[in-house]
Amino acid sequence: MAVNTVGVTHRFYEARGLGGAEDFQMFRPSIATVLVALLALSACANTMRGMARDAKETGQAMDSSGHAVLKAGASGNKAAN
């Protein structure tokens, strides 16, 4: 014998004045809004981590190229002087 738990739960809350069908229908968009907000925040966190990694790699590349230029100038390269 199957029990309709949704109906039982709904009647439980209605009997205690904790919300009817109108309150439940207003609750659904709230859940959707919270889920969309969480998704957006997690996407922002991934973007910030990616930007930090890119900035670090750019700094390392600039440092490496700066050392290459200084090394060429120190070895007597006329183009670097």
Side-chain angles (χ1 to χ4, degrees):
M1 176 164 92
V3 176
N4 182 0
T5 58
V6 174
V8 170
T9 304
H10 184 69
R11 284 193 302 270
F12 173 81
Y13 286 111
E14 268 188 345
R16 285 154 181 82
L18 298 174
E22 300 84 20
D23 291 339
F24 183 69
Q25 287 179 0
M26 288 175 46
F27 185 65
R28 285 183 183 175
S30 299
I31 291 174
T33 302
V34 168
L35 291 176
V36 168
L38 288 174
L39 179 65
L41 289 174
S42 68
C44 289
N46 281 337
T47 300
M48 293 305 291
R49 275 194 293 270
M51 288 174 59
R53 185 180 62 235
D54 290 345
K56 180 180 176 183
E57 290 174 1
T58 300
Q60 290 172 346
M62 291 177 67
D63 188 46
S64 175
S65 65
H67 286 293
V69 168
L70 291 174
K71 185 177 177 183
S75 67
N77 186 350
K78 291 181 183 179
N81 291 328

